[in-house]
Amino acid sequence: MSGCGDFLGVTRWVAVWMLVVLSPVVSAAGAFQAGLDDSSWLVDSSIYDCRMSHEIPYYGYAVFGQQAGESAEFQLIPQTPRMKSGKAALVSNPPVWKPSAQPREMGWVTITQGERPVTVTGAVFERLLTELFAGQEVSFTRMPWYGADESAQVVLSPVNFRQAYQKYRDCLVKLLPVNFEQIRRTAIYFPSGSDALKADEITKLDNIAVYVNADDSVGSFYVDGHTDSAGHRSDNLELSQRRAEAVVALLVERGVSAEKITSRWHGERYPVATNRSAKGRDQNRRVTIRIEKVGYVETVAPEVQMEEQDAPGPADKSPGKSLDKSPEKAGESGEPSLASVSSL
């Protein structure tokens, strides 16, 4: 009978273990975690954006992501608020199948109210990836926002993480160097009296060309040449033309369709800064690039809209036309001890 009793005991233990790890966890302490059989990491890939997301039952999502031209970041996205503002303890825990391993304290992260209560970048972002890749669970623990006595805990499961992570890395390699917001209004600056493109400015144009050649929804360019007020007005008008043409020539050389580009030049007529200082003149020696994209809706403050209404627009298509309108303007200390995590 003792053998039978041992067998029943083991069976009960296995049944309990299965209940714990094979079903979504919402414990009395408010833990939110995917079970072993429903833990998934999904990857959305494009040349504009890479995202790796993990559904956490009864909580929401954890997302690692990077947009073209931007820094990578991790976010927790709850369906409803779960944790109050403040500091959450970040801990790397061994999974249930590694009972002999020890937890590793990773410090603290800031919790804020809103749709994205946790946003992590930099070294902490990389540490999260490292711990999950190593098969560790990662938990965020903080008092719940609604004032309950027990802490709320959000746990990231490492199950099925590695396969998704490889797809995520493959996506990162293919990301464009910039996004549309970064290039839709660009200023290219020139040395005094020169139409020669500097190395940094060529890099800007290279990035613009890479983006435009990849995005079929880009419709048209408006390239406007300008100078400071040094020298004669007639010479400055000619110089602004050469600058605009130098920019257009490089873009076309990089594969941008010449048919999409309208170039104009204005000499010293439209300064964006005072010509009485060296710094102001540096800003005025420029070619501005404005890119239009099909279906793009720009969201700007009303005062910015008023400024841009005065910019040379699509209707002003004559190269070299001296326009009467004004162009577009340039323009923790005191942390609690990790040992007190259970009381957070």
Side-chain angles (χ1 to χ4, degrees), residues 181 184-185 290 296 298-312 326-331:
E181 279 296 319
R184 66 182 185 85
R185 300 289 187 270
R290 182 170 61 186
Y296 177 78
E298 182 178 356
T299 302
V300 294
E303 61 271 19
V304 177
Q305 289 181 322
M306 291 300 295
E307 289 179 358
E308 294 196 347
Q309 285 174 1
D310 293 332
S326 174
E328 176 186 11
K329 296 183 179 180

Side-chain angles (χ1 to χ4, degrees), residues 151-166:
S151 299
Q153 186 178 73
V154 178
V155 182
L156 310 185
S157 170
V159 177
N160 297 318
F161 174 81
R162 285 195 174 192
Q163 300 92 320
Y165 183 50
Q166 185 57 56

Side-chain angles (χ1 to χ4, degrees), residues 4-27:
C4 180
D6 291 342
F7 174 77
L8 290 175
V10 171
T11 301
R12 292 192 189 98
W13 184 90
V14 171
V16 171
W17 182 84
M18 295 285 283
L19 286 173
V20 170
V21 301
L22 296 183
S23 58
V25 176
V26 185
S27 72

